[in-house]
Amino acid sequence: MKMNISRQNLYLLALSTFLLIFVLLFSFLLLIPKGKEYREQRTELNKGNVELRKYQDFNEETLEILKKLQSDNGHVITAFDNTFNAARFEKEHKNYFNTLTLSKLEKSEDEEDEFSVYEVQTTSQINSPKSFYDFLDAVNKSSWIIGINFPINFKREEQMIRSSFTMKVYSVKRDSNTPQ
């Protein structure tokens, strides 16, 4: 029994066998190990994406809080940027008193440079300290950050009430590297 296999079929069978062996070797030696590595990297990427989403959500929440605080406290932020002008302060607030004088006190060594301390002397011709409270309201609405320190001394002299107190004017320390 003789088999008649044509040369063309024999070449085709040899080529098919070679391709089958090549595909099997390629699969077992390259694709399957790389597939396992791919699955591990995909799992790691998914974990990274979850963490990234968590940080992005945190960033968005923090940004919303920051914008809300900036809009609610915009006047305070701009007040810190304003430099204090004693003459302008006296001019704005002298209508509450008969006299208003401001004198800058020297800083002691334990005080920080974040604020300036002023001694305020006032006199007013009134029967009650209402103008003083109106002055305090005006200071709260002014374009500077000012803290009135206690004690506030009121002294009656006939029809006049003299008051004296100290106030701290807060301002941001300017860094020489930041633009103004």
Side-chain angles (χ1 to χ4, degrees):
M1 247 308 355
K2 234 182 177 187
M3 286 181 113
N4 278 342
I5 300 178
S6 69
R7 188 177 277 177
Q8 185 179 13
N9 285 339
L10 191 61
Y11 288 145
L12 193 58
L13 181 64
L15 183 63
S16 298
T17 305
F18 174 74
L19 286 176
L20 178 65
I21 291 171
F22 176 76
V23 167
L24 289 175
L25 286 175
F26 182 76
S27 298
F28 286 112
L29 295 178
L30 199 62
L31 285 181
I32 292 175
K34 294 291 182 184
K36 183 177 180 183
E37 185 179 318
Y38 166 76
R39 285 189 302 275
E40 290 171 356
Q41 288 178 350
R42 185 180 63 193
T43 303
E44 190 175 314
L45 178 66
N46 288 339
K47 288 178 185 176
N49 284 341
V50 166
E51 191 172 339
L52 175 65
R53 245 181 277 121
K54 182 176 77 172
Y55 286 126
Q56 285 175 337
D57 291 343
F58 176 73
N59 182 34
E60 290 172 7
E61 290 173 11
T62 306
L63 184 63
E64 286 177 25
I65 292 170
L66 173 67
K67 287 187 178 193
K68 182 181 183 317
L69 287 173
Q70 283 177 335
S71 67
D72 291 348
N73 301 308
H75 62 284
V76 175
I77 295 169
T78 56
F80 266 116
D81 290 335
N82 293 335
T83 54
F84 183 72
N85 184 342
R88 185 174 148 222
F89 179 84
E90 287 183 22
K91 183 179 176 185
E92 284 182 7
H93 300 293
K94 71 180 178 183
N95 59 343
Y96 294 102
F97 307 102
N98 290 356
T99 62
L100 171 69
T101 56
L102 223 62
S103 56
K104 187 169 185 173
L105 298 179
E106 294 297 320
K107 294 180 184 176
S108 63
E109 291 183 17
D110 61 334
E111 290 179 336
E112 297 180 24
D113 287 338
E114 296 174 354
F115 55 86
S116 303
V117 179
Y118 289 87
E119 175 84 28
V120 180
Q121 301 285 339
T122 64
T123 59
S124 48
Q125 187 172 1
I126 52 173
N127 291 328
S128 72
K130 181 182 178 334
S131 68
F132 181 77
Y133 294 119
D134 292 340
F135 163 75
L136 289 179
D137 287 339
V139 166
N140 282 336
K141 296 174 185 170
S142 70
S143 59
W144 304 291
I145 304 294
I146 297 175
I148 305 294
N149 296 338
F150 291 96
I152 300 172
N153 299 315
F154 290 104
K155 187 175 182 183
R156 184 170 184 88
E157 295 177 357
E158 298 174 10
Q159 293 297 322
M160 302 287 252
I161 295 180
R162 290 195 184 280
S163 60
S164 68
F165 56 92
T166 58
M167 68 180 191
K168 290 183 180 178
V169 179
Y170 296 88
S171 61
V172 175
K173 233 172 136 176
R174 293 280 179 214
D175 185 11
S176 60
N177 296 329
T178 56
Q180 292 185 11

